């Protein structure tokens, strides 16, 4: 497909670019200078200390964490937010990684995402856990900053691994997947502790594997089952709103399985791979919180009542949200960096938009593998995912942070739409487009060039924003 680009497979181009840009961003982005990294850092530390469940103290929900970590987050959490003249420097970074820190004193810390499953933090948490154990036998300096960097490195490698495999496996939309995976915001998030990268990666893995199954003459294998079950576990444990994307599995022909018994077994394994971790954590959390009433419980219940009593009418709220926040959705899906306070030049966003749209259009050929049933299940999954996304934020965030009963949803960010982009494109796949575009290879090459250029601009913007 990318003949002429020195015959290098596209997934290797992705690996090289993502590794180079991501490695720079890991060190260029100051501590806590990305969306919700304070909560992600707390949860990653909790994972490294095998502190699986939240705790309740004095009518507050949080976790027991090292004092040095709490102080580190407190110092950096709001230091750069919206303050474009606030800078970071090498001397400060050097001090942070070169001085040993005492992790023994612990205290209770209340924070927003203390009640989420730590499965989302497997990459960063395991990295921190290994590093801390190595420090027990080798002269390795342990500090909050060093653990932050280790966590970021592991999160980036995990993201790169998922996307590399997805691009390698997918028989369609390789170029589009490449561009979406290397959006400035995508690689920025992958270079932090954000669990959005897990959702993006699993969405693309699910897309790639299901498309591969449809295009292959082989039966569904246990390898397919492991990958799909992994995606199910992550969706259900990390962000349940994306779990409806799994509905696409119902479009896979039963003839792709050895027999109907094998089909039902695979369906059951996929379901329970998501439900068991989710229910286990939910039950554990429920037992801990049985005598706890969250301070926002009243607002949450009222928002929930609004949605449940008029679920069809809530669609109007979703439409109002797109009208009200369309500009923010656009910029934050492509290149709204930092703590949502640093936008890339608009000309870069426009160039990326054109590149992605043109590449998507040239790759919309279904190559005779995307069936009407696949599209139908995709559409149902997409509609349910978008509805769940907006309803969830409306219930948990809009009513607790702004006001109850608003006719729009406040709190949705453009990055939430990245995992569904490929699924939207597949709805327009058309076999009649095969070989109809003579400029296909040229368009994709130009798009890759625009992508690389935008990432270089991203590095420059981050460097100027925080270091000069």
């Amino acid at each position: 497909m990318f003949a002429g680009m020195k015959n290098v497979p596209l997934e290797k181009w992705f690996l090289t670019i993502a590794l180079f840009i991501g490695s720079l961003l890991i060190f260029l982005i100051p501590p806590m200078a990305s969306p919700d990294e304070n909560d992600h850092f707390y949860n990653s530390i909790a994972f490294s200390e095998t502190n699986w469940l939240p705790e309740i103290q004095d009518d507050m929900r949080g976790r027991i964490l090292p004092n040095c970590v709490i102080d580190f987050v407190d110092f950096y959490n709001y230091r750069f937010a919206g303050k474009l003249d606030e800078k970071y420097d090498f001397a400060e970074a050097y001090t942070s990684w070169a001085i040993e820190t005492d992790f023994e004193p612990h205290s209770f810390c209340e924070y927003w995402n203390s009640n989420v499953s730590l499965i989302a933090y497997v990459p960063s948490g395991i990295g921190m856990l290994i590093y801390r154990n190595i420090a027990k036998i080798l002269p390795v300096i342990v500090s909050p900053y060093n653990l932050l960097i280790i966590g970021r490195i592991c999160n980036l490698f995990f993201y790169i691994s998922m996307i590399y495999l997805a691009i390698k496996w997918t028989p369609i939309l390789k170029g589009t997947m490449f561009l979406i995976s290397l959006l400035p915001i995508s690689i920025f998030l992958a270079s932090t502790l954000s669990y959005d990268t897990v959702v993006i990666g699993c969405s693309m893995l699910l897309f790639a594997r299901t498309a591969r199954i449809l295009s292959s003459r082989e039966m569904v294998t246990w390898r397919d089952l492991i990958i799909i079950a992994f995606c199910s576990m992550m969706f259900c444990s990390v962000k349940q709103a994306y779990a409806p994307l799994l509905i696409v599995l119902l479009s896979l022909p039963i003839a792709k399985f050895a027999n109907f018994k094998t089909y039902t077994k695979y369906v059951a394994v996929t379901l329970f791979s998501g439900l068991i971790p989710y229910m286990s954590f939910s039950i554990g959390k429920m037992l801990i919180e049985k005598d706890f009433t969250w301070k926002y419980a009243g607002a949450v219940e009222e928002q929930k009542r609004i949605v449940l009593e008029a679920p069809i009418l809530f669609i109007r709220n979703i439409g109002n949200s797109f009208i009200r926040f369309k500009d923010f959705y656009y910029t934050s899906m492509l290149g709204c960096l930092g703590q949502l306070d640093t936008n890339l030049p608009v000309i870069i966003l426009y160039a990326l938009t054109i590149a992605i749209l043109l590449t998507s259009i040239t790759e919309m050929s279904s190559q005779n593998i995307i069936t009407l049933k696949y599209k139908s299940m995709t559409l149902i999954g997409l509609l349910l995912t978008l509805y769940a996304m907006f309803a969830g934020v409306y219930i948990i965030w809009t009513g607790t942070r702004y006001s109850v009963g608003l006719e729009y949803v406040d709190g949705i960010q453009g990055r939430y739409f990245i995992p569904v982009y490929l699924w939207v494109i597949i709805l327009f796949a058309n076999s009649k487009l095969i070989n109809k575009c003579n400029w296909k290879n040229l368009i994709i090459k130009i798009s890759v060039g625009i992508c690389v250029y935008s990432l270089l601009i991203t590095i420059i913007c981050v460097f100027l924003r925080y270091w000069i």
Side-chain angles (χ1 to χ4, degrees), residues 447-466:
S447 297
V448 170
I450 291 173
C451 174
V452 173
Y453 181 74
S454 71
L455 290 174
L456 294 176
I457 296 298
T458 299
I459 293 294
I460 293 172
C461 284
V462 171
F463 185 70
L464 293 175
R465 162 70 173 88
Y466 293 110

Side-chain angles (χ1 to χ4, degrees), residues 260-298:
F260 186 74
K261 182 179 179 180
T262 302
Y263 174 78
T264 55
K265 180 174 69 175
Y266 278 32
V267 170
V269 171
T270 301
L271 283 175
F272 285 113
S273 295
L275 289 177
I276 290 177
Y278 174 75
M279 293 303 297
S280 299
F281 177 76
S282 298
I283 292 171
K285 186 175 65 171
M286 181 180 64
L287 293 175
I288 288 175
E289 298 180 356
K290 61 182 179 179
D291 298 321
F292 170 67
T293 301
W294 194 33
K295 58 185 175 182
Y296 298 116

Side-chain angles (χ1 to χ4, degrees), residues 256-423:
K256 288 283 186 179
F257 299 82
N259 49 54
F260 186 74
K261 182 179 179 180
T262 302
Y263 174 78
T264 55
K265 180 174 69 175
Y266 278 32
V267 170
V269 171
T270 301
L271 283 175
F272 285 113
S273 295
L275 289 177
I276 290 177
Y278 174 75
M279 293 303 297
S280 299
F281 177 76
S282 298
I283 292 171
K285 186 175 65 171
M286 181 180 64
L287 293 175
I288 288 175
E289 298 180 356
K290 61 182 179 179
D291 298 321
F292 170 67
T293 301
W294 194 33
K295 58 185 175 182
Y296 298 116
V300 167
E301 289 303 315
E302 182 61 22
Q303 293 289 86
K304 189 183 298 183
R305 183 191 63 80
I306 292 172
V307 175
L308 294 178
E309 287 185 356
I312 303 301
L313 188 61
F314 184 72
I315 296 175
R316 181 189 64 180
N317 292 43
I318 297 176
N320 291 340
S321 304
F322 276 101
I323 294 172
R324 186 181 184 93
F325 299 111
K326 60 182 182 299
D327 292 338
F328 175 66
Y329 291 168
Y330 176 68
T331 57
S332 59
M333 181 178 173
L334 296 175
C336 187
L337 311 178
Q339 291 169 295
L340 304 179
D341 56 6
T342 307
N343 291 327
L344 292 178
V346 69
I347 189 65
I348 298 297
L349 303 186
Y350 291 158
L352 278 172
T353 302
I354 294 172
I356 292 171
L357 289 178
L358 288 178
T359 301
S360 300
I361 291 171
T362 60
E363 290 190 322
M364 278 181 190
S365 165
S366 68
Q367 300 180 27
N368 296 319
I369 67 169
I370 301 302
T371 63
L372 179 60
K373 188 177 181 181
Y374 188 90
K375 288 185 179 182
S376 300
M377 293 298 102
T378 295
L379 179 60
I380 293 172
L382 275 173
L383 292 177
L384 290 176
T385 290
L386 290 174
Y387 192 95
M389 184 193 306
F390 278 87
V393 173
Y394 186 76
I395 292 169
I396 299 297
W397 184 262
T398 305
T400 59
R401 291 295 177 173
Y402 299 97
S403 178
V404 171
L406 293 178
E407 294 186 352
Y408 57 88
V409 181
D410 204 327
I412 293 288
Q413 299 173 26
R415 58 192 165 102
Y416 299 168
F417 301 113
I418 296 175
V420 303
Y421 183 85
L422 283 174
W423 301 97

Side-chain angles (χ1 to χ4, degrees), residues 71-346:
D71 293 341
F72 182 77
V73 171
D74 286 343
F75 182 77
Y76 283 108
N77 195 27
Y78 296 106
R79 176 174 167 182
F80 302 102
K83 303 172 185 176
L84 299 182
D85 57 343
E86 185 69 28
K87 301 299 178 182
Y88 195 59
D89 58 43
F90 177 78
E92 185 174 351
Y94 179 79
T95 301
S96 297
W97 80 57
I99 298 179
E100 186 80 24
T101 306
D102 182 9
F103 273 73
E104 281 307 314
H106 284 60
S107 299
F108 177 80
C109 178
E110 180 190 24
Y111 61 100
W112 182 263
N113 279 334
S114 60
N115 65 329
V116 304
S117 171
L118 297 189
I119 288 178
Y121 302 94
V122 166
S124 55
I126 288 180
M128 293 181 184
L129 178 62
I130 293 174
Y131 184 86
R132 294 177 74 170
N133 281 298
I134 290 175
K136 294 178 181 180
I137 56 177
L138 296 176
V140 175
I141 295 175
V142 179
S143 69
Y145 180 82
N146 286 345
L147 291 182
L148 175 72
I149 295 300
I150 289 295
R152 286 178 173 182
I153 290 172
C154 292
N155 211 35
L156 176 67
F157 284 0
F158 189 71
Y159 176 75
I160 290 175
S161 299
M162 288 191 293
I163 302 300
Y164 178 90
L165 293 174
I167 296 175
K168 181 179 181 179
W169 288 335
T170 184
I172 55 176
L173 296 181
K174 283 183 180 285
T176 305
M177 185 181 290
F178 175 90
L179 295 176
I180 296 299
S181 304
L182 285 176
L183 282 173
I185 187 62
S186 298
I187 203 68
F188 183 90
L189 292 171
S191 304
T192 69
L193 298 179
S194 174
Y195 59 22
D196 287 292
T197 55
V198 175
V199 177
I200 294 171
C202 286
S203 176
M204 294 191 179
L205 275 178
L206 179 65
F207 176 88
R209 207 65 188 186
T210 53
R212 185 175 183 270
I213 291 172
L214 288 176
S215 67
S216 174
R217 294 182 179 180
E218 299 177 357
M219 296 290 187
V220 176
T221 67
W222 64 269
R223 293 183 181 86
D224 297 315
L225 178 61
I226 290 174
I227 294 160
I228 292 171
F230 170 77
C231 293
S232 176
M233 180 184 69
M234 287 302 181
F235 283 148
C236 293
S237 299
V238 181
K239 284 192 174 182
Q240 296 78 33
Y242 296 96
L245 292 176
L246 293 165
I247 290 175
V248 74
L249 297 173
L250 297 178
S251 68
L252 299 181
I254 296 180
K256 288 283 186 179
F257 299 82
N259 49 54
F260 186 74
K261 182 179 179 180
T262 302
Y263 174 78
T264 55
K265 180 174 69 175
Y266 278 32
V267 170
V269 171
T270 301
L271 283 175
F272 285 113
S273 295
L275 289 177
I276 290 177
Y278 174 75
M279 293 303 297
S280 299
F281 177 76
S282 298
I283 292 171
K285 186 175 65 171
M286 181 180 64
L287 293 175
I288 288 175
E289 298 180 356
K290 61 182 179 179
D291 298 321
F292 170 67
T293 301
W294 194 33
K295 58 185 175 182
Y296 298 116
V300 167
E301 289 303 315
E302 182 61 22
Q303 293 289 86
K304 189 183 298 183
R305 183 191 63 80
I306 292 172
V307 175
L308 294 178
E309 287 185 356
I312 303 301
L313 188 61
F314 184 72
I315 296 175
R316 181 189 64 180
N317 292 43
I318 297 176
N320 291 340
S321 304
F322 276 101
I323 294 172
R324 186 181 184 93
F325 299 111
K326 60 182 182 299
D327 292 338
F328 175 66
Y329 291 168
Y330 176 68
T331 57
S332 59
M333 181 178 173
L334 296 175
C336 187
L337 311 178
Q339 291 169 295
L340 304 179
D341 56 6
T342 307
N343 291 327
L344 292 178
V346 69

